[in-house]
Amino acid sequence: MNVLILGSGGREHTLAWKIAQSPLLTKLYIAPGNAGTKDFGTNLNLDPVNFEELKQKTLDLSINLVIVGPEDPLVKGVRDYFESDKQLKNIPVIGPGKVGAQLEGSKEFAKKFMAKYQIPTAAYGTFTLETYKEACLFLDSLKAPYVLKADGLAAGKGVIILNNLDEAKSALKTMLQGQFGQASKKVVIEEFLDGIEVSYFVITDGNHYVLLPEAKDYKRIGEKDTGLNTGGMGAVSPVPFADKQFTQKVIERIIEPTISGLKNEQITYQGFIFFGLIKVNNEPFVIEYNVRLGDPETEVVIPRLDGDLLDLLAAVPNQKLHTVPFSIKPETALTVMIVSGGYPEAYEKGKTIEGLDNVKGSYVFHAGTSFKNNQVLTNGGRVLSITSLGISINEARERSYRNAKIINFDKKYYRTDIGSDL
Ligand code: AMP
Ligand code: GLY
C-alpha cells in the first residue's frame, strides 16, 4: 500500500514512524514533512491545501491511502474534493468531510451538536456584532472568569479568558470587530468550567470506533502552567486521574453519543476524533472537539499502540475497524517539547541543531525542522518533541529530560516540569 501523510509537525513524524513499521506499507510519502519524516519516507514539496497539486501527486505516485494530519485541509474539504473527483473517489482519506470537520471548524456547530445529543459541555450563547447588547447581558448573567471563543479556526489563539467583566465586554467587541478575521465575526461565550483537562482520542470508521490512549498536554509556555498559551509544551499518557470509572463515563456520555449523533446527522465520519475534556468533580465535560489527532498528544498516544496502525487505518474505509486486533502498552509515555526562544511570540528560525545522534533511550519527533546542506535546522516555534516510555512517569520523565539536555541549538527552551504534577 502506498500511503501519503499530510502535514509537517511532530504528529506527522510520529505517524510516519509508526506506519513505516507496518508490513502492509509499500511506499510512504509525507507532504510537506520535515527533517525527521524523511527517514521514514519521501517528503513531497506540496502544500496540503493545494488540492489540485495534491490530486496530481496522488495519481502520479499511485497513492492508496491519504492520512490527514492537521485540521486545515479537512475544514477546507479535502475529503469532499476526493469524493467528488472521478479519478480520486476510490482513494480513501482518513479524516472527515467538510461538514464533519465543522465539529472543530465552528464552535457554534459543535455546541449545537452537543446540545442536541445531550453531551455534557459548558452553557453557552453565540453572538455577533448585531447582538452585542444581548452578549453583554449574557456576560452579566455569568460568574467570572469569562470565556470568549472565536467561532472559526484561529490557529489555536481564538480563546480568550478574562476575570474582569468590563475587560471581557471590551475584548468581546474587539473580537466581533474582526480581531481574528472572519473566524471571530461570531463568538461563543461560555460558562467557565473549573477542573483538570484531559484528552481522549478515537479512530472511527463511521460505525465502529477504537479508543486510543488518553493524554494530558501542557499548554502554557511557562513552568507550573503560567504565561501564554502554546500549541503544547509536552504531554503524558496514561493520565492517572483519568481512571477506569471516569473513562467509562467518557465513553457512555461523550464518545458513544458523539459517534451515534454523527450517524444520526448522516455525516459520514471516518477519521480521528479528539475530545478535549475537563473533569469537574469527577464528571467529564467537553471543552472542544478536534477532527484530527493532537500535537504533542500524538507523540505519547501513538508510541503506546501495540499493533499495526496502518492495518487499523486501512480498515476504516470499509467500516471493518472492529475486525483489527490491537492493544495498548501499559508503559507511560512522556514527551517534552523543545522550542525556539521567544515562542509563542516572535522567534528565529534556521538555527543548527546539534546532538541528535547522541540521544539514547528516547524518540526524537521533529515538530519544526528542515534539512539543508546535510544539517538539521530549526524551522518553527516548536522544534523537537522528546518522547520516552517508562514503567512510571518518573522513569519516562528522567529519560526525556536527560536527552533534552543533550540536544542543542541557539536559544532553545523547554519546560522542566512536564508530568511533575501527576
Ligand atoms: P479550546 O480552544 O476550546 O480548547 O480552548 C482553549 C483552552 O481554554 C482550553 O484548553 C481550556 O484550558 C480553556 N477553556 C476553554 N473553554 C473553557 C471553559 N468553558 N471553561 C474553562 N476553561 C476553558
Ligand atoms: N495540543 C493541542 C492540539 O493539538 O490542539
Side-chain angles (χ1 to χ4, degrees):
M1 198 185 320
N2 295 330
V3 176
L4 170 60
I5 300 175
L6 301 183
S8 63
R11 168 180 49 214
E12 289 75 23
H13 186 181
T14 312
L15 290 170
W17 163 79
K18 184 72 180 169
I19 283 170
Q21 298 167 31
S22 170
L24 300 174
L25 183 72
T26 312
K27 279 199 156 163
L28 179 61
Y29 299 92
I30 310 95
N34 60 37
T37 60
K38 71 169 178 35
D39 295 340
F40 300 99
T42 306
N43 287 346
L44 303 176
N45 185 8
L46 165 71
D47 179 356
V49 294
N50 183 339
F51 296 163
E52 264 152 43
E53 214 184 320
L54 175 60
K55 171 177 173 175
Q56 210 45 56
K57 287 280 191 226
T58 302
L59 296 173
D60 290 351
L61 300 170
S62 308
I63 299 297
N64 308 109
L65 182 74
V66 179
I67 302 168
V68 186
E71 63 279 15
D72 216 26
L74 295 169
V75 173
K76 293 200 166 110
V78 66
R79 185 190 182 91
D80 313 68
Y81 182 87
F82 271 63
E83 284 175 344
S84 61
D85 185 285
K86 268 199 217 116
Q87 290 169 288
L88 296 177
K89 68 172 192 266
N90 293 321
I91 302 170
V93 172
I94 301 297
K98 218 171 179 167
V99 181
Q102 288 299 295
L103 277 185
E104 176 166 1
S106 165
K107 301 273 186 200
E108 186 188 26
F109 177 93
K111 294 300 269 188
K112 282 188 171 155
F113 177 85
M114 288 185 267
K116 181 165 175 184
Y117 294 101
Q118 295 176 355
I119 294 165
T121 186
Y124 80 105
T126 308
F127 303 94
T128 60
L129 206 49
E130 285 69 50
T131 56
Y132 179 70
K133 268 196 189 141
E134 288 91 319
C136 290
L137 290 175
F138 186 65
L139 281 172
D140 289 335
S141 76
L142 297 174
K143 276 191 285 186
Y146 306 95
V147 182
L148 310 175
K149 298 187 173 184
D151 176 60
L153 292 184
K157 299 194 170 85
V159 177
I160 297 180
I161 302 181
L162 290 165
N163 278 311
N164 177 286
L165 182 59
D166 290 331
E167 278 174 22
K169 287 179 183 172
S170 111
L172 172 65
K173 190 159 224 175
T174 312
M175 286 176 91
L176 292 172
Q177 284 169 338
Q179 181 181 7
F180 302 104
Q182 208 51 40
S184 68
K185 294 277 164 122
K186 234 191 242 172
V187 171
V188 168
I189 301 178
E190 275 187 19
E191 161 201 21
F192 182 84
L193 297 174
D194 195 6
I196 28 178
E197 289 178 56
V198 53
S199 299
Y200 282 72
F201 305 88
V202 304
I203 308 174
T204 177
D205 60 17
N207 212 7
H208 318 92
Y209 73 93
V210 164
L211 181 64
L212 301 174
E214 79 285 355
K216 172 180 170 26
D217 89 336
Y218 293 76
K219 288 204 169 83
R220 305 293 198 93
I221 188 72
E223 307 280 321
K224 299 213 169 80
D225 293 326
T226 52
L228 293 173
N229 257 323
T230 70
M233 296 295 292
V236 179
S237 176
V239 181
F241 63 79
D243 55 23
K244 256 204 172 121
Q245 194 200 9
F246 181 76
T247 298
Q248 199 51 38
K249 288 182 189 173
V250 173
I251 290 171
E252 283 167 20
R253 296 180 199 170
I254 294 170
I255 294 175
E256 292 185 347
T258 298
I259 287 166
S260 62
L262 288 165
K263 253 197 271 182
N264 195 54
E265 298 294 315
Q266 294 176 345
I267 296 171
T268 312
Y269 196 113
Q270 297 191 320
F272 295 100
I273 312 179
F274 164 154
F275 301 84
L277 309 181
I278 192 157
K279 177 176 167 175
V280 185
N281 300 326
N282 219 21
E283 306 299 326
F285 292 82
V286 177
I287 290 272
E288 65 166 347
Y289 286 114
N290 292 312
V291 297
R292 50 171 174 88
L293 287 173
D295 197 345
E297 291 89 337
T298 305
E299 288 91 303
V300 294
V301 169
I302 296 297
R304 291 190 60 221
L305 286 194
D306 231 347
D308 186 342
L309 178 62
L310 187 52
D311 200 11
L312 273 174
L313 295 178
V316 166
N318 302 323
Q319 301 196 308
K320 293 264 193 287
L321 207 42
H322 57 303
T323 65
V324 183
F326 96 104
S327 60
I328 291 170
K329 293 180 189 160
E331 283 104 316
T332 289
L334 182 146
T335 201
V336 174
M337 190 63 82
I338 305 186
V339 307
S340 302
Y343 174 80
E345 298 186 286
Y347 57 83
E348 292 164 35
K349 291 185 192 177
K351 310 280 188 191
T352 306
I353 303 174
E354 277 156 359
L356 288 169
D357 293 338
N358 302 329
V359 169
K360 281 193 196 82
S362 298
Y363 303 109
V364 177
F365 296 120
H366 293 220
T369 63
S370 64
F371 193 68
K372 278 193 198 111
N373 306 325
N374 259 336
Q375 285 193 321
V376 180
L377 305 178
T378 69
N379 192 35
R382 295 191 295 168
V383 177
L384 299 165
S385 188
I386 316 296
T387 296
S388 312
L389 292 169
I391 49 160
S392 64
I393 294 180
N394 276 343
E395 188 178 277
R397 251 178 71 94
E398 193 271 318
R399 286 185 179 148
S400 281
Y401 279 117
R402 181 158 31 89
N403 287 311
K405 279 200 197 99
I406 289 173
I407 296 169
N408 271 312
F409 57 86
D410 184 33
K411 301 198 179 79
K412 83 166 178 177
Y413 168 76
Y414 55 88
R415 271 178 67 165
T416 63
D417 65 341
I418 303 303
S420 62
D421 56 323
L422 295 173

